[in-house]
Amino acid sequence: MSPINIRTLQAKKDQQEKFSVLTAYDATFAQLAADAGVDAILVGDSLGMVLQGQDSTLPVTVAEMAYHTACVARGNRRAARPALIMTDLPFMSYGTLEQALDSARQVMQAGAHMVKLEGDDWLIPIIESLGRQGVPVCAHLGLTPQSVNKFGGYRVQGREQERAEAMVRHAIALADAGADLLLLECVPSALAERITASVRVPVIGIGAGSATDAQVLVMHDMLGLNPNHVPKFVKNFMTDGRGVKEAFAAYVQEVEAGTFPGPEHGFNA
Ligand code: KIV
Ligand code: NA
């Protein structure tokens, strides 16, 4: 079967079909995820927390992201139907156009098919520039963990009316600038629904309710392996005697059917 690409994902939104995204950081889990029907694998800078044991994503480097991307790419290409690979550009690796281009080059040459950047309208010139160089971009809005120090903790974003309006404006502006995907993290479900309806490109959610076009979770969280604080939006899929691949498949099935996330996994305004 042909590999998933950004046109495949856009067609899913156009046909109102939901799709699933999952993080992976190595070859084995990437192959299992793609074989279970996950459409996009996120090589997230969450690897700083779940693999490295850091307290935040800030210490992660571009070289580390490129290393894990290369591992994921090798496993993914052994899958019957390879997924799209999206890699996070880490903290302070895309503050200037020059940095963004160099960071994107490193992860794309390692095997990513697109990059994800955290930010709002300040990303516009960067998205335009990456697009001209052939790099698709996902813009991550809402709770952007690289800004945890500025937020004063991991908190739901867009609860105040003014902030919610600004997020809608930014989402539209980023899509207009050429962002191929948007990702909303920890925003009220009604706001995520409004943003999803306001842009043509697919919107991926995490802690953003069930109305987004796609869902993403950190692999360790949805396998019930997180020994620390488990966020409200997480569901453990490794239940009922399932193995890893069956847990991935159950996640895919529930996202596509619209049964995950449930109302209990979302946030109110
Ligand atoms: O790094 C990551 O895993 C992410 C997701 C939680 C969206 O950015
Ligand atoms: Na991330």
Side-chain angles (χ1 to χ4, degrees):
M1 274 185 285
S2 38
I4 303 292
N5 59 46
I6 54 168
R7 291 178 59 234
T8 326
L9 299 182
Q10 182 64 54
K12 286 183 192 275
K13 172 156 186 160
D14 296 343
Q15 291 157 23
Q16 295 177 307
E17 277 173 41
K18 297 204 184 272
F19 62 90
S20 52
V21 183
L22 192 60
T23 71
Y25 317 98
D26 70 18
T28 301
F29 285 109
Q31 186 176 353
L32 287 169
D35 276 337
V38 167
D39 286 310
I41 295 173
L42 172 63
V43 185
D45 61 356
S46 52
L47 68 84
M49 299 170 92
V50 296
L51 300 190
Q52 298 176 342
Q54 315 277 8
D55 292 329
S56 75
T57 59
L58 274 62
V60 177
T61 66
V62 176
E64 289 164 349
M65 295 309 298
Y67 169 80
H68 287 283
T69 299
C71 296
V72 163
R74 288 182 208 114
N76 184 52
R77 69 172 179 246
R78 291 190 204 112
R81 191 236 39 192
L84 177 141
I85 300 173
M86 168 158 77
T87 295
D88 271 336
L89 294 192
F91 180 64
M92 294 282 275
S93 73
Y94 50 99
T96 66
L97 283 184
E98 208 176 344
Q99 278 183 322
L101 293 174
D102 188 58
S103 302
R105 178 186 57 76
Q106 292 182 60
V107 301
M108 295 294 283
Q109 289 184 333
H113 303 118
M114 69 186 300
V115 298
K116 178 161 77 61
L117 313 180
E118 296 181 7
D120 48 37
D121 53 355
W122 69 268
L123 292 177
I124 286 171
I126 297 172
I127 291 170
E128 290 171 343
S129 186
L130 287 168
R132 282 194 294 270
Q133 302 302 318
V135 180
V137 177
C138 175
H140 180 158
L141 297 143
L143 197 182
T144 47
Q146 293 170 16
S147 299
V148 60
N149 294 294
K150 191 76 175 166
F151 291 145
Y154 296 100
R155 313 169 61 86
V156 176
Q157 299 294 311
R159 278 195 153 137
E160 310 78 7
Q161 189 59 29
E162 210 175 299
R163 294 294 188 92
E165 295 304 325
M167 206 185 294
V168 174
R169 279 199 310 276
H170 292 150
I172 292 170
L174 290 163
D176 284 347
D180 298 276
L181 297 175
L182 300 181
L183 187 149
L184 301 175
E185 177 165 352
C186 292
V187 306
S189 303
L191 174 59
E193 180 167 8
R194 193 174 146 204
I195 291 173
T196 302
S198 304
V199 296
R200 199 185 62 85
V201 298
V203 177
I204 305 167
I206 176 167
S210 61
T212 55
D213 305 299
Q215 297 291 327
V216 61
L217 284 176
V218 169
M219 179 192 92
H220 295 63
D221 286 344
M222 59 76 76
L223 292 176
L225 301 177
N226 183 339
N228 306 307
H229 168 74
V230 178
K232 179 189 178 191
F233 54 76
V234 169
K235 175 172 171 175
N236 177 6
F237 287 87
M238 199 142 85
T239 55
D240 308 311
R242 288 179 191 136
V244 171
K245 192 166 166 187
E246 289 75 35
F248 287 174
Y251 167 66
V252 169
Q253 192 272 323
E254 290 193 32
V255 170
E256 290 180 357
T259 53
F260 174 80
E264 71 276 20
H265 299 114
F267 298 102
N268 298 321

